[in-house]
Amino acid sequence: MSLFDWFANRQKSEPVTQKRQEREIADGLWSKCEACGVLAYTKDLQANQMVCSECNHHLRVDSDERIRQLIDAKTWKPLNEEISPIDPLSFKDRKAYKDRLSDYQQKTGLTDAVQTGTGLLDGLPVALGVMDFRFMGGSMGSVVGEKLCRLIEYGTQEGLPVVIICASGGARMQEGMLSLMQMAKISGALEHHRREKLLYIPVLTHPTTGGVTASFAMLGDFILAEPKATIGFAGRRVIEQTLREKLPDDFQSAEYLLKYGFVDAIVPRTQLKATLAQLISLHQLSPIAPGHHHNGDRVHYQHHNEPKKIHRDAMQVLEETD
Ligand SMILES: [Zn+2]
């Protein structure tokens, strides 16, 4: 029996005192599943990609953890890290937007609610955007919009598939119209990407709502979702009050959306990387993918990714570390 097993068994047979438990949760040694309440050793939970092994609940993961889960080690290259938000409207609610921003920047170590970059996913080059719900609820302001837009444009220019992990409460009201216009801006960039016959896959995680759902979250070639994720535009209460109708209990869940065709597949997090790799490989083999040449009526199947610069860089890193 490993020391960890022994510790886990001891944990089961002799429940720790409330105080000690709270202290260890605060230290990050143990994590409590918010769905079933079972305590799990944080390292075990991380090894299972933050999915509870008792009840299969998908706990929230931040953008750093998500990048570790999806991108091959040492191949991640962040893009546009220097872009940071300003307060164009001098907005103030209970707190000045300026102060709110610097609080979240300190708390998360991020400049805003998205990380973008390139890397290898099971050896396949991708452009990846990962929203971070910890930063003002993953709300989409000018920086989120600009970084995603530049990521997609980079993907178009370099012939890369784009994957965006969505997690958002919607548009960022503190930036007013400037935040709303990001929806159209990102959708426009995606259209250029699409015209080059490149692949775009949004992954909807809990929660994906508001302006994100109303734009790039729903514009994918394949739309994937995590189990039980809340996905919607307006909140349940707003819709019920507007329609004066009671909505079904599972309304706005990934499963409900799958049933009605808004989502193409629900993929458990532990299978996400393999699924994305499979979809990207299949797309590269398809005759419509860029780089395929018709020779008479014969189609040559080949990988369309000429070793462009990013790919070469990433491969070089891999070779150096081998
Ligand atoms: Zn659980």
Side-chain angles (χ1 to χ4, degrees), residues 32-38 45 51-59:
K32 195 175 198 167
C33 170
E34 64 228 22
C36 70
V38 158
L45 203 55
V51 176
C52 173
S53 51
E54 283 294 314
C55 72
N56 211 25
H57 176 69
H58 285 50
L59 281 86

Side-chain angles (χ1 to χ4, degrees), residues 304-322:
H304 80 265
N305 283 295
E306 316 282 9
K308 297 208 169 146
K309 189 172 174 303
I310 169 66
H311 191 191
R312 278 203 309 274
D313 290 350
M315 294 306 287
Q316 207 169 359
V317 173
L318 267 189
E319 279 160 16
E320 280 164 9
T321 53
D322 271 349

